[in-house]
Each structure stands twice: as C-alpha cells, then as structure tokens.
Amino acid sequence: MSSPPPAAKCPSAGPTTIQDLDDDLLREVFIRLPALPSLVRAALTCHAFLRAVPPPPPFRRRFRDLHPSPFLGLFIQRLIEKWEPGVPSFDARHRRSDWDFAAAVRGGDFALNGLPDPDGDNEECGDEDEDSNDADDEEVENNEDEDEDSDEEDEKEEEEDPSPVWEIERCCDGYVVLFNRRARQIAAYNPLTRALHLFPSPPGIFKSALTFQFHIISSSDEHPGSPPRVVCFYCGYLYASVGVISPGSTEIEWQIFPEALIPGAVGATGKMVNGSLYWTHPGRLYITVLNTATLEFSRMELPPLLAVEEGSNRDCDFVLGNTKDGRPCIVSPDPWGGCELLVFFWRPDEYDGVERWKLDQEFKLKTIRRLTRLTEIEDDSYVVVHVMDVTDGIVYLRTAYDGYTEVPQLLLSFCLETAELKKICEYDHKLHPYVMAWPPSLVGVHDKH
C-alpha cells in the first residue's frame, strides 16, 4: 500500500508592516486618536499618513463630533502701574501625561516673540498725527488770544508716548488678535504655526473711539492657507461703523452702523460665527448681525426670557457663541439668580415656522458648591456665574461670590454636549482662553500631492 503524497507547503507570508494599511484603515485609526494634537503628530509622520487624511470638511466634522476642540491654555495680561497693560504671558493647561498637548505647546511661540518691535523700523500707518496737528493749527488761528497754558497742555498730551506693549484683544480660530498703540498696528498671530499677519489700524481709533473691537475672518475651506481679514468695530460719540481690512491693503471698506442701532453700540459685545458678526447690546432687546461677505446689517430679536426692559431690576449676562457643529447659540445664567445655565438655539418655530431663539436646554450647576468650597450652610445663590465665551460647544465661565464669606474666583469650562463642568484655575486678572484650530498643514493636502 503506497503512502499518500506529502502535503504541499504553504508559502510563508511576509511580515505585515504599516505600509500595508490602505487609506480607509488609516482613517479609521486617525478618527480614534484622542485629540487634534495627536492627529497632527500622526499625520505628519510620513507622506503616506498625510495623504490619508481626507479633505477637511467631512473628516473635520466627523473628528470634531468625537473630540472637542483642544483647550491649550490661557493668555494672561495683567495691568501694571497707571493701569497700563503688562507684557502678555501664557499659562499652559494640560496634564503632564498629555504628551501630544505638551509637544504642541513646546513647539509653538506662546511667548509671542514673533511679534514685531513697535520701536523698530515699522512703517507707521494712517495720518493720525497729521490730522491732530491740522486741528491744532486751526484752533490756534481762531483763538490767538487764548492763554499760553492751554497750548502747553495740548503739546504735553500730543507728546505723551502711547504704550509700546502689544495688547490682546481676543483669541479666535487659532489666532491671538492684538493691537499696538505706538506702532498703530493690528496683528493676527498664530503661536502654533508662527504665522503673522499685520494690518494698519484705522486712523484715530485709539484716541477718539469710545470702544473698539477687532475680529478675524479666517480663510475658508475653499481657499485654505489664505491670510485672514480683520473686521474693525469703531464706536464714537455720534456714530458707529464697521470696517474690513484685507492683508496688504491700507484701504478700509467702512460701513456705517444703522442709525437705529447706534444707541446700543456702546458696550456691545461681538462674536464671529460662520462668517457673520453678532453683537449683543446691554439693555437692548435685539442682536445686531453683520454679514461680512455682503456687509449688510440685520437684526434679531432676543428671546423673551432674556429681554431685559429699561428700568428692570434684572441683569442679563448672556453671551452668543457657537456649538461644536458651528450653530449659533446663546448661553445665559439664570436671569433670576439661580445657579444654572440656559441654552437657546436659532431655529424655526414648530407652530408658525418663523425662525426665532428657542430655549433648548437648562443645566443645573450644583457641582459649583464643591468647586467653590461652599459649606452646607451657605447657599448656592451666593455664587454669581458670569459667562465669558462660548466656543465650539465649550462654555467658559467665571465665578464671583455675592456673600460675606470669601471664596476663590474660578475660571470654569462647561461642555454643552456632556454637561461636564471642570475647574481650570483661580484667577484675579483678565484671561483669554486659547483653543487650537484645525491646522493649515491638514488643509488642502490632496492639492499638494
């Protein structure tokens, strides 16, 4: 009896390497990374990984649905002698075990050393001094008999040096927006990429404006990597106006604030959401909206719950911001003093289909008792909650204490999706939370390869 033939040997399989993973598998791995800094470090490991990152809009939406925008830390600018601003500093806020966060901060320029020296060879913008000198000449010609002491006081005011310090206006879309009175410049600086964009400040804005604001219009997904534009909000004694400055241009396209909205311009707080600027006005029953593409104004009525009429003893401390998916929202502490947050969304009414602000959620902030170290005897009503900002679904809050016992003032973060309240730090000065934006290195990758 013959023995069966020996079984054929299977060819030995070669070792599986990372190069054997196709783009679909890599994307599934990338989407499960814990945070945006981890994604950036992984994608920049090699060209194959970078090519595997899909075009920004769909992948970014999916990634942000799973991971909140990373909060890296706080820019702090204390006031020093004579209420002048001090040099900004940065307080990184990440756990020691967060190696990717630490690498992002370590590789960035959070000391803002990339900003130009205002006493250097910068070209001065505008005709601010020429305008003031012309006005002084006319005054002297018309008032030749005036006392010489008043002329000396005017000269002292003109000779007074403006502050050379770069002052932080706000942080948004990964940029730190600053202005410098001496250089008469506005700067948009990304400390992670070290991208710096300088703009001329509008003539006279630092001397004659009652209030002013600067906002950033970031580049869109259709034009990745293009420089941002700056929106200047100027509020004077008789009028308010908005101007848009483009990079490399000294011309400013101004749009006068509608006359009916001027009474609420002083003290207005602006927020950029999806290409539109929203201003909330203290003591007014409306929100002013500017479409930055068309420079057209419109008005939105406040929800009745937040509409504080003149003479009312209530005080509304609401802030307009955006959710994780980019929708505009309003977040407000309880107008009647309760320790809770109210969240409103702009959506069609279920009865008449007309869009208006609708109350969506109410969050009880009971854990503030533990964070502020209140005893069981003390009441939560003594804790006053102020909303600072709402960015990508994260609400930044600060607390004060309206009682007889001193407790620390806290900076807190609250997630609208998970209702998680976190303590960031104690504070006694002005703070600017910095949130990492989607990096340009992951935008337009498919066009480059």
Side-chain angles (χ1 to χ4, degrees):
M1 183 176 179
S2 60
S3 59
K9 292 183 179 181
C10 296
S12 59
T16 302
T17 67
I18 195 71
Q19 304 297 333
D20 297 320
L21 299 179
D22 60 21
D23 288 352
D24 290 336
L25 284 175
L26 286 176
R27 291 165 190 165
E28 290 303 316
V29 173
F30 288 161
I31 206 70
R32 287 166 171 78
L33 292 174
L36 183 57
S38 304
L39 174 64
V40 175
R41 294 190 77 188
L44 297 180
T45 302
C46 62
H47 289 297
F49 284 12
L50 189 58
R51 284 195 301 268
V53 178
F59 182 78
R60 177 164 53 191
R61 282 195 293 268
R62 187 182 172 199
F63 192 88
R64 289 176 64 177
D65 284 343
L66 298 174
H67 313 287
S69 297
F71 166 71
L72 296 186
L74 300 162
F75 279 99
I76 302 169
Q77 190 157 35
R78 293 179 171 87
L79 294 177
I80 55 178
E81 187 179 359
K82 297 182 179 179
W83 298 97
E84 291 188 1
V87 177
S89 61
F90 186 73
D91 181 15
R93 286 282 162 179
H94 57 80
R95 295 188 298 270
R96 293 183 179 180
S97 58
D98 291 334
W99 301 106
D100 296 328
F101 278 77
V105 175
R106 186 172 59 250
D109 176 24
F110 286 89
L112 306 180
N113 294 322
L115 294 172
D117 181 2
D119 294 322
D121 296 330
N122 299 321
E123 294 183 1
E124 294 187 343
C125 308
D127 299 324
E128 186 171 341
D129 283 349
E130 293 179 7
D131 294 341
S132 61
N133 289 338
D134 292 342
D136 291 338
D137 292 341
E138 292 178 5
E139 184 179 356
V140 170
E141 291 175 2
N142 296 331
N143 304 280
E144 293 180 352
D145 296 331
E146 282 189 352
D147 194 355
E148 294 181 357
D149 292 338
S150 61
D151 294 336
E152 292 177 1
E153 291 177 2
D154 292 340
E155 290 176 3
K156 287 180 181 179
E157 290 180 2
E158 290 178 6
E159 293 173 359
E160 183 180 353
D161 267 348
S163 171
V165 173
W166 283 96
E167 302 177 47
I168 298 179
E169 159 72 2
R170 67 186 66 245
C171 295
C172 58
D173 293 336
Y175 286 101
V176 185
V177 185
L178 311 97
F179 59 92
N180 191 286
R181 300 174 188 269
R182 179 173 296 183
R184 300 176 198 149
Q185 285 183 324
I186 306 164
Y189 186 56
N190 188 323
L192 288 172
T193 65
R194 302 174 188 255
L196 173 65
H197 306 282
L198 295 174
F199 306 83
S201 65
I205 192 170
F206 297 132
K207 289 186 177 180
S208 57
L210 293 176
T211 59
F212 58 84
Q213 300 169 14
F214 304 118
H215 301 269
I216 288 293
I217 308 175
S218 297
S219 57
S220 63
D221 294 327
E222 291 76 18
H223 302 90
S226 59
R229 293 180 293 158
V230 167
V231 179
C232 301
F233 172 72
Y234 171 99
C235 182
Y237 287 95
L238 300 177
Y239 69 96
S241 56
V242 177
V244 179
I245 312 177
S246 299
S249 174
T250 57
E251 298 295 326
I252 303 177
E253 185 179 359
W254 288 102
Q255 181 76 2
I256 302 299
F257 229 66
E259 185 176 355
L261 305 180
I262 291 177
V266 178
T269 302
K271 176 74 174 183
M272 182 77 70
V273 179
N274 291 337
S276 292
L277 257 172
Y278 296 79
W279 282 281
T280 55
H281 309 275
R284 303 291 168 176
L285 307 181
Y286 54 81
I287 297 171
T288 304
V289 185
L290 172 69
N291 185 320
T292 59
T294 62
L295 290 185
E296 294 181 352
F297 287 96
S298 59
R299 200 168 88 167
M300 305 169 75
E301 300 299 324
L302 282 177
L305 190 60
L306 302 183
V308 179
E309 299 181 359
E310 294 185 8
S312 172
N313 59 358
R314 290 195 296 136
D315 183 22
C316 264
D317 190 23
F318 63 87
V319 168
L320 192 142
N322 64 293
T323 61
K324 191 167 62 174
D325 57 2
R327 289 187 299 162
C329 64
I330 291 178
V331 179
S332 171
D334 183 0
W336 302 102
C339 199
E340 63 181 356
L341 289 180
L342 310 180
V343 181
F344 300 82
F345 288 110
W346 183 257
R347 62 188 184 196
D349 189 274
E350 56 270 20
Y351 298 107
D352 56 15
V354 178
E355 287 189 314
R356 54 174 59 93
W357 291 107
K358 303 288 290 182
L359 179 63
D360 184 79
Q361 291 174 298
E362 299 180 49
F363 296 101
K364 302 290 184 182
L365 301 179
K366 289 298 183 183
T367 51
I368 284 187
R369 171 181 291 278
R370 174 175 53 82
L371 295 174
T372 53
R373 306 171 196 165
L374 284 174
T375 66
E376 292 299 326
I377 301 176
E378 294 166 326
D379 190 359
D380 286 341
S381 61
Y382 288 136
V383 179
V384 182
V385 179
H386 301 283
V387 182
M388 294 176 57
D389 195 12
V390 185
T391 300
D392 296 335
I394 303 297
V395 185
Y396 295 95
L397 309 163
R398 61 183 179 88
T399 65
Y401 190 66
D402 190 18
Y404 297 100
T405 304
E406 292 186 2
V407 293
Q409 294 179 311
L410 302 179
L411 177 66
L412 310 170
S413 67
F414 181 80
C415 179
L416 293 178
E417 183 178 19
T418 65
E420 183 180 9
L421 183 68
K422 292 182 179 180
K423 172 185 172 182
I424 298 176
C425 65
E426 299 181 13
Y427 76 96
D428 59 356
H429 38 258
K430 191 172 184 180
L431 304 172
H432 302 273
Y434 181 82
V435 177
M436 182 179 179
W438 195 267
S441 56
L442 300 186
V443 178
V445 213
H446 295 262
D447 297 333
K448 298 178 183 178
H449 295 280

